[in-house]
């Protein structure tokens, strides 16, 4: 079922809720109705959070915004030190304060640009990111292999 489903997360969510409801009706899980309703509510809230997180990847970050931000940062880096020097000459005796403020403001602007670049492609594989989907697939294959080996050992013990 999971391999042919277009939304595997929603399928697993509905299977869990159906299993919990069936188990409660069968008497295998006794709880007060408000507690059981709260369980359903919390699981629905988790699913809602997942849907909101999925929107980050479904709605692309606007490319023109990123380009205009890059242009403004370069312009800001070229012009702001001159304004800072002019203000220093008129208002301050300490030469280090405008330089520090210039550095911090430009650093924050570059950080916002880097954030915009990351939001444009949030889940691509950078060299420092783990390939989670591949590791999950490999881990599942190893788990199936271990379960198969354990089943084989049990069946050998049963025949001996």
């Amino acid at each position: 079922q999971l391999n042919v489903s277009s939304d595997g997360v929603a399928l697993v969510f509905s299977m869990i809720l159906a299993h919990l409801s069936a188990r409660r009706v069968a008497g295998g899980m006794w709880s007060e109705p408000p507690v059981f309703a709260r369980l359903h509510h919390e699981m629905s809230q988790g699913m809602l959070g997942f849907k909101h997180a999925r929107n980050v990847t479904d709605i692309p970050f606007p490319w023109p915004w990123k380009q205009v931000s890059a242009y403004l940062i370069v312009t800001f880096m070229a012009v702001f030190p001159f304004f800072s020097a002019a203000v220093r000459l008129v208002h301050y005796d300490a030469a280090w304060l405008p330089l520090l403020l210039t550095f911090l403001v430009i650093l924050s602007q570059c950080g916002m640009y880097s954030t915009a670049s990351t939001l444009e492609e949030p889940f691509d594989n950078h060299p420092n990111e783990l390939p989670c989907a591949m590791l999950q697939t490999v881990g599942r294959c190893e788990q199936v292999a271990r379960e198969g080996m354990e089943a084989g050992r049990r069946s050998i013990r049963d025949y001996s």
Side-chain angles (χ1 to χ4, degrees), residues 53-160:
R54 181 181 268 177
N55 283 341
V56 172
T57 60
D58 291 345
I59 300 171
F61 191 79
W63 186 77
W65 179 282
K66 181 181 169 192
Q67 298 304 311
V68 168
S69 295
Y71 172 73
L72 291 176
I73 287 173
V74 169
T75 305
F76 188 73
M77 287 172 62
V79 173
F80 190 72
F82 294 111
F83 286 128
S84 177
V87 168
R88 182 188 64 85
L89 291 175
V90 175
H91 295 290
Y92 295 105
D93 292 331
W96 59 270
L97 184 61
L99 297 175
L100 177 66
L101 291 176
T102 301
F103 174 75
L104 291 176
V105 168
I106 290 175
L107 182 68
S108 67
Q109 293 292 324
C110 291
M112 289 190 335
Y113 176 74
S114 176
T115 302
S117 297
T118 303
L119 285 175
E120 190 174 15
E121 283 292 328
F123 297 117
D124 59 346
N125 282 330
H126 295 289
N128 292 333
E129 291 180 357
L130 289 173
C132 294
M134 188 270 300
L135 290 176
Q136 185 177 8
T137 303
V138 169
R140 180 67 185 134
C141 291
E142 290 175 356
Q143 180 185 3
V144 168
R146 277 195 303 272
E147 289 171 358
M149 288 173 43
E150 287 298 320
R153 287 186 191 131
R154 282 194 299 268
S155 64
I156 290 173
R157 280 188 227 128
D158 291 343
Y159 288 117
S160 45

Side-chain angles (χ1 to χ4, degrees), residues 13 17 37-50:
F13 175 72
L17 287 181
R38 187 67 180 180
L39 173 69
H40 276 266
H41 172 74
E42 291 300 325
M43 289 189 64
S44 298
Q45 288 293 346
M47 192 65 178
L48 181 66
F50 173 76

